[in-house]
């Protein structure tokens, strides 16, 4: 494919004090790609996703979204964020709102949809993910898996160009992991561009178009899942895979 | 790893950020100048400004009354320093008592509840009057008649009730899963209060507590109303003899000088706490 990719990261650097957390990161995500970030705990996966969502300022390098440099200090942060959806490891639903209110908040307040339109969209998506009967519940009445599914619906309700997922299943019981991964799979099949940090290697192998292995803030290896997960070039990657598989 | 030098693009971005920062500072300065300038103009152009200046802002009277007020202010500081630890102790005791569940402690809980309800309801100045004039009238054997100590007692009882409620809200804000984890480890309920709940609760209520401290600093002046020779008393004394109100302004300046650093410290603590809590956002 030619032309500008959806997301292009060049020479990204991020440090906390003296500790360099991301070093010279290069990453390209084209439209409809599903890119999985793998790597040990503390390797910088969350930090990278947070930098892309402009939750953390970067120390150097550039991030381009759809050809626009979003690391420009003059960029309109809110409009950039409204083009992306992000879901965190801890679901972070707003506890004082119902499921429906959680999902319709941004469509109404950020994207200017009417309450009826927002509700329409929200109910359609909730139904698609088996949450129709939970729409009027508060989050504390939902299971972890249901909460995380709602968080996903909340992030994708406005059909963002890029969806960032940070280990969306790692706070869940094993039997709940499946229902959340089903949503990710559904999104991937519909052509949503996804960038996700995950510890689910089987899932990465199945849905990813690209896998990136992060080690101490450096992308050591990236490529199609069959290659990176099946026949890694780097010894570090092999060590990591032996430990998690 | 080689030492990192920012790329040209990063240098450019830093320059833009610096420019933005400069512009923000400029806007802030101009806005401040306009507001302060406006206020001063209104003040200076008011018809009574000349007389006001003489009676409230006389430099000579300020200098003349300064030593007495300073001496009086030492009493305010002393009252504060004596009352504050007692208030913290009383507040913590009452809060912990109210958070117990044992049926045997019900009378204590009742007492603690009645205490907070009643003493939060009575205006502090009234409580000071009641103690300073009422207690000596009882002529109890062995009970002090010193205005200083009776005034402090009134302050402690009044503020203790507030601080108890602050502590209690802190205790109740600790997530039940913390107590459950402590229970699961086999800690007694007293131990889980002492080692798990209270330390977290105290950290969380420090900013609102400091806010109460600032308020207490000022309210020590109420004891001046019943005869302790504090800053307010000294200012009034001077005013009565010289028919000039400048000493009140001087006394006010003393209180402000003590409260402002405390307010900034509170802001700083609150900001630090907010950052810590923010760690959960990743
Ligand atoms: N606010 C911060 N201040 C200092 N260091 C930080 C901060 N946030 C993250 N780090 C450090 O940055 C490194 C990368 O953290 P990050 O959360 O990105 O790892 P991760 O790959 O997402 O790990 P995990 O798989 O456990 O989620 C870690 O070593 C961490 O200690
Ligand atoms: Mg992480």
């Amino acid at each position: 494919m030619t032309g500008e990719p959806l997301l292009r990261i060049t020479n990204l650097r991020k440090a906390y004090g003296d500790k360099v957390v991301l070093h010279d990161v290069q990453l390209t995500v084209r439209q409809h790609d599903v890119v999985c970030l793998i790597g040990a705990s503390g390797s910088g996966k969350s930090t990278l996703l947070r930098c892309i969502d402009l939750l953390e300022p970067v120390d150097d390098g550039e991030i381009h979204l759809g050809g626009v440099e979003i690391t420009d200090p003059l960029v309109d942060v809110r409009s950039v964020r409204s083009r992306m959806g992000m879901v965190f490891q801890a679901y972070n639903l707003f506890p004082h709102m119902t499921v429906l209110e959680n999902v319709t908040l941004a469509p109404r307040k950020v994207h200017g949809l009417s309450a009826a339109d927002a509700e329409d969209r929200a109910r359609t998506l909730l139904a698609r993910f088996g949450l129709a009967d939970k729409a009027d519940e508060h989050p504390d009445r939902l299971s972890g898996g249901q909460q995380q599914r709602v968080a996903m619906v909340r992030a994708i309700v406005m059909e963002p160009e890029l969806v960032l997922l940070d280990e969306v299943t790692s706070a869940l019981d094993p039997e709940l992991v499946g229902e959340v991964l089903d949503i990710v799979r559904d999104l991937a099949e519909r052509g949503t561009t996804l960038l996700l940090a995950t510890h689910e290697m089987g899932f990465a192998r199945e849905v990813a178009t690209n896998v990136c292995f992060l080690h101490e803030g450096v992308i050591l290896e990236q490529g199609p899942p069959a290659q990176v997960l099946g026949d890694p070039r780097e010894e570090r990657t092999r060590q990591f895979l032996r430990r998690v598989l | 790893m080689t030492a990192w030098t920012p790329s040209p693009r990063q240098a450019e971005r830093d320059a833009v950020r610096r420019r933005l920062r400069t512009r923000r500072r400029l806007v802030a300065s101009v806005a401040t100048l306009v507001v302060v300038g406006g206020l001063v103009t209104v003040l200076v152009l008011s018809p009574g400004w000349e007389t006001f200046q003489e009676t409230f802002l006389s430099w000579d009277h300020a200098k003349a009354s300064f030593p007495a007020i300073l001496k009086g202010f030492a009493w305010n500081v002393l009252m504060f320093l004596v009352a504050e630890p007692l208030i913290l102790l009383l507040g913590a005791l009452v809060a912990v008592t109210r958070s117990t569940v044992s049926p045997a402690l019900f009378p204590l809980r009742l007492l603690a509840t009645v205490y907070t309800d009643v003493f939060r309801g009575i205006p502090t100045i009234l409580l000071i009057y009641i103690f300073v004039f009422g207690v000596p009238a009882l002529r109890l054997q062995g009970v002090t008649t010193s205005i200083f100590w009776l005034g402090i007692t009134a302050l402690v009882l009044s503020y203790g009730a507030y601080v108890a409620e602050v502590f209690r809200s802190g205790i109740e804000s600790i997530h039940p899963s913390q107590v459950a984890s402590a229970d699961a480890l086999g800690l007694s309920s007293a131990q889980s209060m002492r080692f798990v709940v209270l330390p977290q609760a105290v950290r969380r209520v420090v900013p609102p507590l400091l806010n109460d401290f600032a308020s207490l600093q000022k309210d020590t002046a109420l004891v001046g109303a019943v005869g302790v020779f504090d800053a307010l008393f000294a200012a009034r004394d001077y005013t009565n003899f010289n028919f000039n109100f400048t000493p009140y302004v001087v006394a006010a300046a003393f209180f402000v000088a003590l409260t402002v650093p405390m307010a900034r410290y509170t802001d700083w603590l609150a900001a630090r706490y907010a950052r810590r809590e923010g760690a959960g956002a990743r």
Side-chain angles (χ1 to χ4, degrees), chain B residues 71-126:
Chain B
K71 239 166 64 211
F73 192 66
W75 279 101
N76 291 96
V77 174
L78 183 66
M79 282 191 275
F80 172 74
L81 290 179
V82 174
E84 193 53 56
L86 297 173
I87 289 168
L88 284 176
L89 195 69
L90 179 65
L93 277 178
V94 170
V96 169
T97 307
R98 287 193 73 178
S99 306
T100 55
V101 286
S102 152
L105 294 179
F106 178 77
L108 275 182
R109 272 202 296 282
L110 182 69
L111 193 70
T113 311
V114 170
Y115 160 71
T116 38
D117 284 356
V118 170
F119 280 79
R120 264 193 322 165
I122 305 177
T124 310
I125 181 83
L126 260 184

Side-chain angles (χ1 to χ4, degrees), chain B residues 74-80 82-83 132 144-155 223 226-229:
Chain B
W75 279 101
N76 291 96
V77 174
L78 183 66
M79 282 191 275
F80 172 74
V82 174
V132 171
T144 177
T145 54
S146 134
I147 300 178
F148 176 81
W149 285 107
L150 289 171
I152 283 186
T153 310
L155 281 178
V223 186
V226 292
V228 168
F229 202 88

Side-chain angles (χ1 to χ4, degrees), chain A residues 120-192:
Chain A
D120 253 15
R121 264 173 188 264
R123 286 200 189 271
T124 309
L125 267 185
L126 287 171
R128 198 167 104 204
F129 297 132
L131 294 160
D133 56 330
K134 305 293 180 203
D136 299 308
E137 299 275 13
H138 278 82
D140 59 339
R141 304 276 299 269
L142 306 183
S143 74
Q146 288 164 345
Q147 289 186 48
Q148 191 60 300
R149 275 145 67 200
V150 173
M152 306 266 280
V153 170
R154 187 174 68 174
I156 61 172
V157 65
M158 290 312 292
E159 295 170 4
E161 295 162 57
L162 175 65
V163 176
L164 308 170
L165 305 174
D166 190 2
E167 295 188 29
V168 287
T169 57
S170 52
L172 299 177
D173 293 340
E175 67 264 32
L176 298 177
V177 169
E179 61 186 48
V180 173
L181 290 185
D182 283 343
I183 296 193
V184 183
R185 198 175 286 120
D186 182 282
L187 291 178
E189 279 161 11
R190 284 166 193 262
T192 312

Side-chain angles (χ1 to χ4, degrees), chain B:
Chain B
M1 219 181 281
T2 51
W4 165 67
T5 41
S7 66
R9 177 65 187 123
Q10 182 63 23
E12 217 176 296
R13 278 198 296 244
D14 286 341
V16 171
R17 285 208 184 89
R18 269 195 302 277
R19 268 206 302 286
L20 288 177
R21 216 162 28 234
T22 315
R23 201 164 70 198
R24 269 205 299 276
R25 286 207 190 113
L26 199 72
V27 171
S29 316
V30 170
T32 311
L33 269 179
V34 168
V35 170
V36 172
L39 285 175
V40 169
T41 314
V42 167
L43 218 87
V44 173
L45 292 185
S46 64
W49 173 243
E50 291 278 313
T51 5
F52 178 87
Q53 224 179 349
E54 262 160 47
T55 40
F56 283 89
L57 302 175
S58 146
W59 183 242
D60 292 335
H61 285 296
K63 268 196 300 201
S65 62
F66 186 88
I69 293 177
L70 178 64
K71 239 166 64 211
F73 192 66
W75 279 101
N76 291 96
V77 174
L78 183 66
M79 282 191 275
F80 172 74
L81 290 179
V82 174
E84 193 53 56
L86 297 173
I87 289 168
L88 284 176
L89 195 69
L90 179 65
L93 277 178
V94 170
V96 169
T97 307
R98 287 193 73 178
S99 306
T100 55
V101 286
S102 152
L105 294 179
F106 178 77
L108 275 182
R109 272 202 296 282
L110 182 69
L111 193 70
T113 311
V114 170
Y115 160 71
T116 38
D117 284 356
V118 170
F119 280 79
R120 264 193 322 165
I122 305 177
T124 310
I125 181 83
L126 260 184
L127 212 55
I128 290 172
Y129 276 128
I130 292 172
F131 270 79
V132 171
F133 299 129
V135 171
L138 291 175
R139 296 204 219 135
L140 292 171
Q141 204 78 83
V143 172
T144 177
T145 54
S146 134
I147 300 178
F148 176 81
W149 285 107
L150 289 171
I152 283 186
T153 310
L155 281 178
V156 168
L157 287 173
S158 179
Y159 271 83
Y162 279 105
V163 168
E165 286 304 279
V166 171
F167 271 131
R168 197 163 67 103
S169 65
I171 289 172
E172 280 170 6
S173 75
I174 302 304
H175 200 268
S177 64
Q178 292 289 306
V179 179
S181 313
D183 287 350
L185 292 170
L187 268 63
S188 72
S189 61
Q191 284 173 323
S192 90
M193 177 60 84
R194 163 76 184 77
F195 296 111
V196 178
V197 176
L198 264 189
Q200 297 186 57
V202 166
R203 223 158 285 159
R204 202 169 283 189
V205 298
V206 162
L209 277 183
L210 285 178
N211 193 35
D212 279 349
F213 286 10
S215 171
L216 175 68
Q217 281 170 10
K218 296 180 301 181
D219 279 358
T220 53
L222 294 177
V223 186
V226 292
V228 168
F229 202 88
D230 77 331
L232 177 65
F233 198 111
R236 194 171 39 206
D237 199 46
Y238 184 95
T239 301
N240 286 345
F241 286 100
N242 297 282
F243 307 106
N244 187 287
F245 293 105
T246 306
Y248 285 132
V249 178
V250 174
F254 269 108
F255 283 102
V256 171
L258 198 59
T259 319
V260 167
M262 197 127 169
R264 290 290 78 76
Y265 181 59
T266 310
D267 289 351
W268 180 79
L269 271 182
R272 197 180 66 159
Y273 183 67
R275 265 204 310 283
R276 290 248 173 97
E277 292 272 286
R282 49 198 53 247

Side-chain angles (χ1 to χ4, degrees), chain A residues 13 23 50 56 59-62 69 71-74 88, chain B residues 1 4-7 9-10 13 16-17 20 280-282:
Chain A
R13 174 194 167 91
H23 185 74
R50 292 169 62 82
E56 298 280 353
D59 291 310
D60 207 339
E62 293 173 34
E69 193 205 328
T71 35
D72 190 312
L74 298 174
F88 302 87
Chain B
M1 219 181 281
W4 165 67
T5 41
S7 66
R9 177 65 187 123
Q10 182 63 23
R13 278 198 296 244
V16 171
R17 285 208 184 89
L20 288 177
R282 49 198 53 247

Side-chain angles (χ1 to χ4, degrees), chain A residues 14-17 19-22 38-50 56 89 166-167 170 197-199 214 216-217, chain B residues 279 282:
Chain A
K14 172 73 191 169
Y16 291 110
K19 188 169 162 37
V20 182
V21 176
L22 292 174
I38 61 170
S41 184
S43 57
K45 305 181 293 294
S46 301
T47 308
L48 178 55
L49 292 174
R50 292 169 62 82
E56 298 280 353
Q89 182 171 340
D166 190 2
E167 295 188 29
S170 52
T198 185
H199 284 303
L214 237 88
E216 293 175 1
Chain B
R282 49 198 53 247

